[in-house]
Every structure is written in C-alpha cells, then in structure tokens.
C-alpha cells in the first residue's frame, strides 16, 4: 500500500507540474520562445487567491476566478509589453527579457508582501479518500482531476474550435497563417492568456498542498515544470501532461525511498538523460531544417 500511496502522491504533484508545463509548451509551440517568467505567474496566481480570500473576504469560487483572470491578463500584458517588441530579435534577447520579467515580478511581490511565508487558505477539507487501501488527500485528488479536465478541455479547444485551429496554424507556419487572414498577434496573446490561467490553477493547488506561499515559490516549481515539458516533448500538450506526471512520481519515489535531499538531483538527472537519449522528448519529433 505504501508503493501505491507514493504513486498517487507523485501523480498529484505531477499534475501540478503538468498544468505549468502545458503553459511552457503552448508558448513555445506557437510563439517559439521559452517564457521563463512563467514560474512567477504561478506565484502571482497563488497570491491573488490569497488576497481575495483573506483580505477581501470573497467567496472561494470568486477568489479562484479572479486569480485565473488576473494571471491571464498579466500573461497578455507581459507578452505585449516585453515580448512582442522582440519578436524578430534573437533568442538571447528574448531569454534575457524573460529572466528580467521573472525577477521584476518576484521583487515586486517581495516589496508588497515581504519575504515571510503567508498561510494559504484551505479551500478543501483535510480528510482523505481510501483507494485500494491507499489514502489520498482531497487536495491530491483535486489536483489529478483538474489536470485531466484542463488537458482534455484544452485539446478539445485546440482541435475543434476556430481559435484553436488558428493556434495550430500559427504553430505550423506563422507567415502562411498570416497570409490566410489569421490574426497572429491575437492568437499569440490568447496562448499566453490560456497558459497563464493554467499557471494560476497550479499556484492555487500549490498553496493548498503546502499551506504556505512566498514570493519565491514559482522559481523551482517553474524549472521542474520546464523539465517536464522537455521530457514530454516541448510543443506537445499530451507530452507536457505525461512529462509532469513522470517527474512527480520520480520525485515522490526519491523522497520516500532514498532521501528528500536527492529529489531535485533526480529531476535534473532525468533532464540530462532525456537530452542525451531523446532530445526531442517522449512525444516530440526531430525537425529537419534546410540551411
């Protein structure tokens, strides 16, 4: 039962990583850039929910919706202000800008809330559910359910709606999509909005799982989610979900059977291994380019 418990715990943590990894992989697939400020979007989502619940005394559903909408708006503004002017610049300029935005958000929230951890409100009861003898908390169960629901809805949106097809077209060939009448700027902004909204959900799950939040929470979480996106195949939404679940289970097994001190080392070891063995990731495909 201990083994099954660790699998469930790992999958629930992996679900949180998967929601963030989907944001990374969407932005890369459509805008062809890595938004390293995405980790701080998670942190902003957690703090927005915290402020709405504890300071404004808003209902839980209102707090969650405000956090998602606020992060979606922040993602769009970040893309318009920081990334759009550099769309035709080199990848190094975009990378440095993303890191700058990351530190800007982190330090802004340090000024607003200080470095001390804040107690996150518990939106779920503290009990557990029995599953084949293993016990899973309500928060862990919620994390798994939300991961599959969000991924399924996102895949339906991309494959079945007009806006989703526009996103796929921009991902395949931005120039050709623009010639066919697709508004590339709107499509990229929509991508940032969706990815950032999912990041807000991940931030709320983090707060409920660990009970404490601080302005640094998005740093390591964002890096692990990026590793999950690379593992699954950057640009692949199902790959991001699978990669997140794998990273979560690997981390849970390491903490349980080896030592918590080695959990981060194992995650980075997985990154090195996948880059050596299959650089395109589990669901990615190697692309040939003419030089």
């Amino acid at each position: 039962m201990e083994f099954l418990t660790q699998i469930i715990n790992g999958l629930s943590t992996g679900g949180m990583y998967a929601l963030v990894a989907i944001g990374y992989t969407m932005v890369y697939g459509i805008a062809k850039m890595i938004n390293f400020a995405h980790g701080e979007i998670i942190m902003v989502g957690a703090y927005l929910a915290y402020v709405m619940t504890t300071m404004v005394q808003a209902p839980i559903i209102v707090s969650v919706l405000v956090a998602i909408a606020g992060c979606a708006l922040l993602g769009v503004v970040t893309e318009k202000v920081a990334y759009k002017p550099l769309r035709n610049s080199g990848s190094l300029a975009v990378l440095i800008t993303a890191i700058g935005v990351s530190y800007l958000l982190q330090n802004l929230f340090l000024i607003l809330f200080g470095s001390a951890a804040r107690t996150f409100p518990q939106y779920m009861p503290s009990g557990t559910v029995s599953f084949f003898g293993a016990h899973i908390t309500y928060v862990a169960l919620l994390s798994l359910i939300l991961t599959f629901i969000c991924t399924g809805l996102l895949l339906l949106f991309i494959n079945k709606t007009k806006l989703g097809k526009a996103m796929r077209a921009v991902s395949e060939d931005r120039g050709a999509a623009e010639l066919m009448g697709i508004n590339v700027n709107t499509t990229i902004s929509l991508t940032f909005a969706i990815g950032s909204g999912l990041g807000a959900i991940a931030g709320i799950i983090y707060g409920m799982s660990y009970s404490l939040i601080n302005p640094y929470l998005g740093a390591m979480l964002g890096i692990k989610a990026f590793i999950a996106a690379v593992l699954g195949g950057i640009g692949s939404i199902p790959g991001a979900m699978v990669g997140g679940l794998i990273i979560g289970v690997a981390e849970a097994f390491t903490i349980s059977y080896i030592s918590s001190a080695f959990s981060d080392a194992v995650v980075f070891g997985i990154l090195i291994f996948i880059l050596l063995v299959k650089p395109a990731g589990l669901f990615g495909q190697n692309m040939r380019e003419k030089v």
Side-chain angles (χ1 to χ4, degrees):
M1 291 304 101
E2 174 66 19
F3 182 80
L4 181 58
T5 299
Q6 294 308 320
I7 289 180
I8 294 174
N9 289 336
L11 289 176
S12 65
T13 304
M16 180 173 60
Y17 292 152
L19 289 174
V20 184
I22 289 172
Y24 276 115
T25 207
M26 285 182 64
V27 170
Y28 179 82
I30 294 172
K32 297 297 182 290
M33 62 161 287
I34 303 295
N35 180 21
F36 279 112
H38 195 57
E40 273 53 53
I41 299 290
I42 307 164
M43 176 269 296
V44 172
Y47 269 99
L48 284 176
Y50 165 80
V51 168
M52 290 299 298
T53 304
T54 60
M55 298 181 181
V56 182
Q57 301 292 319
I60 293 174
I61 185 64
V62 174
S63 300
V64 172
L65 290 176
V66 168
I68 294 172
C71 285
L73 179 61
L74 176 61
V76 173
V77 171
T78 300
E79 190 276 327
K80 293 291 186 185
V81 174
Y83 301 140
K84 185 179 177 182
L86 300 174
R87 200 171 288 171
N88 297 319
S89 302
S91 57
L92 182 60
V94 178
L95 174 63
I96 293 172
T97 302
I99 295 173
V101 172
S102 173
Y103 280 107
L104 173 65
L105 291 173
Q106 190 178 100
N107 283 277
L108 176 62
F109 275 73
L110 275 170
I111 294 171
L112 293 175
F113 297 97
S115 60
R118 301 294 182 101
T119 302
F120 193 83
Q122 289 302 308
Y123 296 152
M124 297 288 291
S126 58
T128 61
V129 177
S130 181
F131 182 77
F132 291 104
H135 296 283
I136 178 172
T137 64
Y138 289 115
V139 175
L141 184 62
L142 177 66
S143 175
L144 278 173
I145 292 172
L146 284 178
T147 300
F148 285 102
I149 289 177
C150 290
T151 305
L153 290 176
L154 184 58
L155 288 173
L156 283 175
F157 173 79
I158 290 175
N159 292 318
K160 300 297 182 181
T161 67
K162 186 176 180 180
L163 287 173
K165 292 176 182 178
M167 292 169 68
R168 288 163 56 196
V170 174
S171 175
E172 289 292 330
D173 191 321
R174 185 186 301 177
E178 198 164 14
L179 290 173
M180 295 299 294
I182 295 174
N183 191 323
V184 173
N185 292 327
T186 300
T187 303
I188 293 176
S189 295
L190 178 63
T191 303
F192 272 83
I194 294 174
S196 299
L198 292 175
I201 297 174
I204 293 169
I205 292 174
Y206 179 96
M208 290 191 294
S209 300
Y210 297 99
S211 300
L212 295 173
I213 59 173
N214 62 67
Y216 302 107
L217 74 86
M220 184 55 70
L221 177 57
I223 292 173
K224 290 180 179 179
F226 174 69
I227 293 172
V230 174
L231 173 61
I234 193 80
S236 169
I237 292 175
M241 186 187 75
V242 172
L245 296 178
I246 291 174
I247 293 295
V249 171
E251 194 175 50
F253 280 170
T254 303
I255 293 172
S256 179
Y257 297 114
I258 304 176
S259 170
S260 59
F262 292 99
S263 61
D264 292 345
V266 169
V267 172
F268 285 104
I270 292 173
L271 173 64
I272 294 170
F273 177 77
I274 198 67
L275 289 176
L276 291 173
V277 176
K278 199 175 189 300
L282 298 177
F283 289 76
Q285 296 180 350
N286 291 318
M287 303 294 291
R288 292 185 177 181
E289 292 187 3
K290 293 183 178 179
V291 179

